[in-house]
Amino acid sequence: MSKTAILSKIPCVILCGGRSSRMGEDKSLLPFSNSNSLTQYQYDKLKSNFEEVYISSKIDKFDFLKNKEKYLILDKGEIFSPIVALQTILQTIKTEKVFIITVDTPLVSIDSINELINSSNESEICVAQTLKTHNLCGVFSTSLVKFINEMLINDIHKVNYLLKNNNTKYLDFPNNDEFINLNNKDEYKRALNIISKSNN
């Protein structure tokens, strides 16, 4: 990115509160590329594009993060649910919209992120789509809090339900590898191989 590039006014939140059950260990803390952790890799990359980058998690496990009082959003309660995380995020951040991305999608390019942001004006939600929909890679309006509150009252925790029942735009991208989720060891190794080749 050039030094004269304008940083996005929309804040960015990295979701790091999952169980990592298929990985067998906390994937947010796995080393990635030249970074000590996947979280730090995502954070450093996204800081080049956003004025403010927040981290959403169940607990504080991030040594590198400065000003945690502001930029660490802790999702209270015992339920592991992206909807609970979204509720906490959208209640905490006061801007009209927020860009959300999961910690385990490190290959999503800044160009694709900006395309999502630029395409989000006419919708409450704008998410990426390749061979499948990437429910937690996109722009979410903070006005969705009321709907999310109703979902949780009714014990509904599916992000897809949120997307289907609100004004959602699905933005198509051609490269499925760019949106790979690092859910297990094989996907982690594959992503490491892709990023290694791109750095050469």
Side-chain angles (χ1 to χ4, degrees):
M1 192 179 86
S2 69
K3 292 181 179 179
T4 56
I6 298 170
L7 296 177
S8 174
K9 298 288 186 185
I10 292 179
C12 172
V13 181
I14 308 168
L15 297 178
C16 300
R19 290 181 184 275
S20 301
S21 52
R22 282 177 281 177
M23 187 66 76
E25 59 183 300
D26 190 338
K27 57 187 166 186
S28 71
L29 300 179
L30 288 171
F32 193 78
S33 187
N34 297 319
S35 298
N36 291 329
S37 69
L38 194 53
T39 308
Q40 189 166 3
Y41 176 85
Q42 283 279 61
Y43 181 85
D44 289 342
K45 181 177 84 171
L46 293 162
K47 279 290 285 182
S48 72
N49 197 59
F50 291 90
E51 285 187 356
E52 295 189 307
V53 178
Y54 296 78
I55 293 175
S56 165
S57 181
K58 281 285 186 192
I59 58 171
D60 178 5
K61 51 189 175 181
F62 311 104
D63 294 338
F64 69 89
L65 185 63
K66 297 175 182 176
N67 195 0
K68 292 182 182 181
E69 190 173 324
K70 180 175 181 181
Y71 292 112
L72 180 61
I73 302 174
L74 292 178
D75 160 21
K76 304 297 184 184
E78 296 182 7
I79 298 172
F80 284 83
S81 163
I83 290 296
V84 172
L86 280 174
Q87 180 193 45
T88 308
I89 290 163
L90 300 182
Q91 286 175 339
T92 302
I93 294 176
K94 304 305 179 186
T95 55
E96 185 181 341
K97 296 191 174 186
V98 181
F99 178 77
I100 304 282
I101 191 167
T102 54
V103 71
D104 63 355
T105 51
L107 304 182
V108 179
S109 70
I110 294 298
D111 284 346
S112 295
I113 289 169
N114 286 332
E115 196 172 335
L116 283 160
I117 292 170
N118 293 334
S119 301
S120 68
N121 291 337
E122 305 299 323
S123 57
E124 291 174 293
I125 304 168
C126 180
V127 291
Q129 187 169 262
T130 53
L131 298 176
K132 67 173 187 175
T133 301
H134 304 279
N135 292 343
L136 292 169
C137 181
V139 180
F140 290 75
S141 298
T142 51
S143 60
L144 293 163
V145 167
K146 186 176 179 181
F147 188 88
I148 289 173
N149 290 344
E150 290 293 327
M151 284 179 63
L152 291 174
I153 288 169
N154 292 298
D155 200 30
I156 300 169
H157 293 268
K158 298 288 187 184
V159 180
N160 191 47
Y161 182 90
L162 175 68
L163 271 55
K164 294 292 185 187
N165 290 280
N166 287 280
N167 178 15
T168 299
K169 180 173 184 176
Y170 299 88
L171 197 62
D172 288 313
F173 290 90
N175 183 3
N176 197 51
D177 277 352
E178 184 184 349
F179 293 87
I180 182 176
N181 284 92
L182 278 56
N183 288 318
N184 56 50
K185 296 290 187 185
D186 287 341
E187 289 165 339
Y188 173 57
K189 290 173 184 173
R190 185 170 157 224
L192 284 173
N193 186 46
I194 292 170
I195 200 73
S196 175
K197 288 178 180 177
S198 70
N199 289 336
N200 289 337

